[in-house]
Amino acid sequence: MAGGVISGNSKAYPGELTWKVFVTCLVAACGGLIFGYDIGISGGVTSMTPFLKEFFPDVYKKESEIKASSNQYCKFNSATLTMFTSSLYLAALLASCVASFVTKACGRKISMLVGGITFCVGALLNGIAVNVWMLIVGRILLGIGIGFANQSVPLYLSEVAPYKWRGACNVLFQLSITVGILVANAVNYGFAQIKGGWGWRLSLGGAIVPAIIFIIGSLTLADTPNSLIQRGKLQEAKERLLKIRGVDNVDEEFNDLVEASEQSKKIKSPWFNLLKRKYRPQVFFAIAIPFFQQLTGMNVFMFYAPVLFKTMGFGDNASLLSALITGAVNTLATIVSILLVDKFGRRFWFLQGGIQMFVMQIVITGAIAFKFGFNGNPGELEKWYSILVVLAICIYIAGFAWSWGPLGWLVPSEIFPLEIRSAAQSVNVSVNMIFTFFIAQIFLQMLCALRFFLFVFFMIWVVLMTIVIYLYLPETKGIPIEEMAGIWKEHWYWKRFVPVADEEMAEVKDTKKDEDKN
Ligand code: BGC
C-alpha cells in the first residue's frame, strides 16, 4: 500500500469521529434494528392465540387439544408455521448475493435504499394480511430488504468509519440488532393485550417504523469515497473524504484508497481467489464462525422463546414477559462486549462465553428432562422451577451476547485481506443466513423428535466450537487490519498454509500469468 504516516505499528491517517460519521453509524444502527426487529417479532406473534386461530387453525387446534397431561414437545410442530418464520432468511440469503453486484455497480447507498423500501412494503403486506400467503410473501419481501441492508450497511460503515473507531462501530451493529429484538419483544407484549385480538397486526406492521427511519437515513447520506473511486468519480470522492474526516488534508488516505481500488481491479475473480491455499485460514473462519454462531442454539431462544416458555407451561402473558426479560439481558450483555472486547481480547470472550453457554445448557437440559421426561408430560409446574429455567436461559443468553454474538460479526470482518474482503464477507453473511434458516425451519420438528435431547445437540456443538477457537484462532485484538496477515505466519497450525515472502513473490507472478492468459 502506498504512502501513509507510520505510527508505532500502524498507519495514522488524520481525522476523528465527525458528525457525518456519527450519522452514518446511526443509519447502520437502523440496518441492525430492522434485522433485530424481525428476529424478535416472529416468535411472539406465533405464540398469540388470535394469530394462530386466523392463519394456522390446525396448530391452534392441536395446541388447545393437547392438555397438560399429553406430550408438550410436539404441540407447536407445524411446517407452515416454521415456514412463516424461516422464509425470510432464505430470501435474505439470495438477496445478499444479488445485492453484492448492485452495491458494487451502483454504490452502497442504492442498495440501502432498495433494502429499506422492500422491507417497508413487506411490513405493510404483513400488517394487512388476510391469508397465509400474504404473510409469507410479506416475509420474503422483508427478507430481501434485510439481505440488501446487511450486505451494504456494514460495508458502508467500515468504509466511512475512521480506522480507530472501526471496532466500536462494528459491535454497535450487533447492539442495534439486540435493541431491535428487545423492541420487538416489548411491542409484542404490549400489543398482545389489545382486546379484539388484532394486536399482531400492529406487531408485524410496526416494522414500517424502523424501515422508514432507515429509508430517510439512507436518503440523507452520500456514498462512500471507496465506492465513488471504484466508479471513477475521483473528484467527488476526494471532496467526500475531506468532509467526513473533517480535516484539510486527506491526501495519504485518498492515495491509498485509489491504490487499493486499482489493486482490487487487477483481481478478476475474487471468488476464485478464495480457493487459494494461502487464504485457507481466513476462508475457514469465514465459514466456521457464522456456522458455529448459529449452532450455539441462541436463535432457538430468539425466535421461539415465547413458544418455548408456553411449551413449558407458562401462560400467554408470562411467556411474552419472559421473552422480554431475555431480550433485555441480550442488549445489556452486548454493552459489556462493547466496553471489554478490546481489553480482554477475542479469544478470552469466545472461550468464556462458550463455557458459560455449555454450563447453562446442562442446567436447562437437566431441568427439562427432570420435569418433562421423555413423554413430555410435566404435571404441575412449581414457581421455583419456572424461575430456575428463566434464570438459566438468561445466563446462557448473556454468555452468547458478549461472545459469539458480536464476535460472529467482528472477527470475520477484521481478518480478511483487502483483495478477498468483499467476497469473503459475502461467504460469511451467506453461511450465517443459511444456518439461521436451518435453525428456524427445523427447530420445532427437532424439539418434537429429540425432546430434551435437543439441547444436548447444541451442547455438543458448543464444546466443539470452543475447542476449535482454543486451538485454531489466533488473537486479533489490537492488530491493524493491514498487518493481520502476520498472525497466521506465527500460528502453530496455519503457518504451513501461508507463504513466506519469496514464495509470495513467486505466487504473485503466477497469478499475473494466469490472469494474462485469461
Ligand atoms: C446473530 C443472530 C442472533 C442475534 C441475537 C446475531 O449476531 O447473527 O442470528 O439472533 O445475534 O442477538
Side-chain angles (χ1 to χ4, degrees), residues 35-36 39-40 89 150 173-174 177-179 181 290 293-294 298-299 302-303 330-331 334 397 400-401 404-409 432-433 436:
F35 182 37
I39 294 169
Y89 296 94
N150 281 16
F173 181 65
Q174 171 72 11
I177 294 174
T178 65
V179 170
I181 297 172
Q293 191 205 50
Q294 292 307 314
M298 171 66 167
N299 275 333
M302 293 298 103
F303 295 143
N330 192 18
T331 304
T334 306
I397 286 176
F400 175 91
W404 282 89
L407 298 176
W409 296 103
N432 198 302
M433 290 297 152
T436 306

Side-chain angles (χ1 to χ4, degrees), residues 396-416:
Y396 164 89
I397 286 176
F400 175 91
W402 56 51
S403 65
W404 282 89
L407 298 176
W409 296 103
L410 171 62
V411 173
S413 81
E414 61 187 9
I415 59 172
F416 304 140

Side-chain angles (χ1 to χ4, degrees), residues 365-396:
T365 307
I368 296 177
F370 170 67
K371 272 285 176 188
F372 288 75
F374 204 72
N375 301 328
N377 180 1
E380 190 66 28
L381 290 176
E382 294 90 356
K383 203 170 174 134
W384 68 263
Y385 178 83
S386 311
I387 294 175
L388 174 84
V389 171
V390 175
L391 201 69
I393 291 177
C394 284
I395 301 175
Y396 164 89

Side-chain angles (χ1 to χ4, degrees), residues 211-495:
I212 289 177
I213 299 173
F214 184 43
I215 294 170
I216 295 174
S218 313
L219 280 172
T220 60
L221 291 169
D223 228 321
T224 67
N226 315 49
S227 172
L228 292 167
I229 292 170
Q230 203 170 29
R231 289 177 287 140
K233 301 179 179 177
L234 294 187
Q235 187 53 35
E236 206 182 319
K238 186 144 190 191
E239 284 160 17
R240 172 95 186 107
L241 192 62
L242 280 165
K243 256 194 202 148
I244 57 175
R245 294 291 174 256
V247 290
D248 297 335
N249 189 339
V250 287
D251 288 353
E252 283 164 6
E253 185 172 2
F254 181 74
N255 291 340
D256 280 356
L257 290 181
V258 172
E259 191 177 326
S261 163
E262 271 157 21
Q263 289 297 335
S264 75
K265 278 182 192 154
K266 278 188 200 150
I267 296 195
K268 294 206 179 97
S269 166
W271 289 95
F272 176 72
N273 239 24
L274 287 180
L275 300 175
K276 285 192 176 154
R277 187 179 160 83
K278 67 172 175 175
Y279 296 127
R280 202 64 58 80
Q282 290 93 338
V283 172
F284 172 78
F285 285 108
I287 295 169
I289 289 182
F291 169 77
F292 284 147
Q293 191 205 50
Q294 292 307 314
L295 267 287
T296 55
M298 171 66 167
N299 275 333
V300 162
F301 299 107
M302 293 298 103
F303 295 143
Y304 297 115
V307 172
L308 205 65
F309 288 128
K310 253 179 118 173
T311 300
M312 288 194 278
F314 291 33
D316 274 21
N317 273 348
S319 299
L320 290 176
L321 188 63
S322 309
L324 202 57
I325 295 171
T326 54
V329 169
N330 192 18
T331 304
L332 292 176
T334 306
I335 297 174
V336 173
S337 164
I338 293 180
L339 299 175
L340 298 178
V341 69
D342 287 319
K343 195 170 163 68
F344 295 116
R346 286 43 161 166
R347 274 173 62 82
F348 172 84
W349 286 112
F350 267 131
L351 301 179
Q352 190 284 336
I355 293 168
Q356 183 167 326
M357 282 191 286
F358 176 69
V359 173
M360 285 307 119
Q361 276 165 333
I362 295 179
V363 176
I364 296 166
T365 307
I368 296 177
F370 170 67
K371 272 285 176 188
F372 288 75
F374 204 72
N375 301 328
N377 180 1
E380 190 66 28
L381 290 176
E382 294 90 356
K383 203 170 174 134
W384 68 263
Y385 178 83
S386 311
I387 294 175
L388 174 84
V389 171
V390 175
L391 201 69
I393 291 177
C394 284
I395 301 175
Y396 164 89
I397 286 176
F400 175 91
W402 56 51
S403 65
W404 282 89
L407 298 176
W409 296 103
L410 171 62
V411 173
S413 81
E414 61 187 9
I415 59 172
F416 304 140
L418 185 69
E419 63 273 21
I420 58 159
R421 194 167 293 157
S422 120
Q425 181 63 10
S426 305
V427 172
N428 176 40
V429 175
S430 303
V431 174
N432 198 302
M433 290 297 152
I434 291 170
F435 286 95
T436 306
F437 166 79
F438 175 76
I439 299 291
Q441 186 63 34
I442 67 154
F443 166 68
L444 292 178
Q445 280 107 305
M446 277 175 77
L447 180 65
C448 182
L450 293 178
R451 296 148 200 249
F452 62 84
F453 283 113
L454 173 64
F455 297 95
V456 177
F457 169 82
F458 290 117
M459 215 189 282
I460 295 169
W461 282 107
V462 170
V463 172
L464 196 74
M465 65 187 78
T466 307
I467 295 173
V468 168
I469 294 294
Y470 179 75
L471 291 176
Y472 299 107
L473 185 75
E475 181 56 65
T476 53
K477 167 193 132 182
I479 299 172
I481 289 183
E482 315 86 53
E483 283 156 43
M484 201 61 83
I487 62 174
W488 314 108
K489 289 184 183 152
E490 285 159 24
H491 188 267
W492 71 272
Y493 179 74
W494 296 116
K495 66 180 173 199

